[in-house]
Amino acid sequence: GGGVGGPDAKMRRGRGRSPTRACTAPSRGEQVNSRAGLHQRELERTCDCVERYVMSKLHDRVFATDADDLQHDKALAARFRELHFLTVEHLGISPEFTVQQPWEWAQQELRKMGSYRTPRDKMVCVLNCCKRINAALSHASGGQHGADEFFPVLVFVVLQAA
């Protein structure tokens, strides 16, 4: 696995399979590099390790690299600030889902995104936010909620987290 002597360690030391070969998905019916004994989970962990390494080195070149990107980010942040006045009532969120308003936890998940450098890690923050919203809605509704209840809460959480 990803232990001291595993494939991740070999990748960090510059030995072992090349990053591009390590992240190539096997074709249908092809065994995952049986010679090296890699299984699918180990291959995925290796790809994650390579992605983290590459993105840690290229982050500043990939995200908000030019003046247009920075201007767009500023405009989006300004728009979020303008919409910060919106309340759960404005978004039509049912009162049964607003009693405890446990959405600060979901907002914290989104706020963590800035501390991560890989797209996958950022997506995990979004996923965790959605899981927290879903858990809160499920608790409030006894599991009787759907997208019509979820989406307005997600919009509210995103606007408040920004």
Side-chain angles (χ1 to χ4, degrees):
V4 172
D8 293 344
K10 286 181 183 177
M11 292 298 290
R12 286 191 300 273
R13 292 189 303 261
R15 297 193 315 259
R17 299 179 344 146
S18 72
T20 53
R21 260 196 93 196
C23 291
T24 303
S27 62
R28 185 178 286 183
E30 181 182 347
Q31 242 181 1
V32 179
N33 198 349
S34 60
R35 189 181 81 206
L38 292 179
H39 293 87
Q40 188 64 31
R41 287 180 158 245
E42 290 170 326
L43 180 63
E44 288 173 9
R45 280 193 297 261
T46 301
C47 290
D48 290 344
C49 178
V50 170
E51 178 189 34
R52 281 190 180 97
Y53 177 77
V54 169
M55 288 307 299
S56 71
K57 299 298 182 189
L58 297 178
H59 184 270
D60 295 337
R61 294 181 185 177
V62 174
F63 292 102
T65 59
D66 61 22
D68 288 341
D69 288 343
L70 295 173
Q71 187 61 31
H72 179 72
D73 287 352
K74 286 180 184 177
L76 185 60
R79 186 65 178 143
F80 276 137
R81 283 191 301 276
E82 290 171 1
L83 295 172
H84 199 74
F85 74 92
L86 290 173
T87 65
V88 291
E89 291 82 18
H90 290 120
L91 296 171
I93 299 172
S94 175
E96 69 189 82
F97 299 126
T98 63
V99 175
Q100 296 176 348
Q101 290 191 353
W103 300 317
E104 181 61 32
W105 293 340
Q107 292 168 10
Q108 288 173 2
E109 292 294 335
L110 293 178
R111 290 181 186 127
K112 288 181 194 177
M113 288 176 63
S115 65
Y116 292 103
R117 298 180 74 83
T118 68
R120 182 185 186 284
D121 290 342
K122 292 175 183 292
M123 288 303 299
V124 167
C125 293
V126 173
L127 176 64
N128 288 340
C129 169
C130 291
K131 284 180 178 180
R132 289 186 182 254
I133 292 170
N134 194 51
L137 291 175
S138 186
H139 182 266
S141 70
Q144 301 298 314
H145 68 282
D148 289 341
E149 293 79 23
F150 178 86
F151 188 72
V153 174
L154 177 61
V155 169
F156 179 76
V157 166
V158 168
L159 289 174
Q160 297 303 309

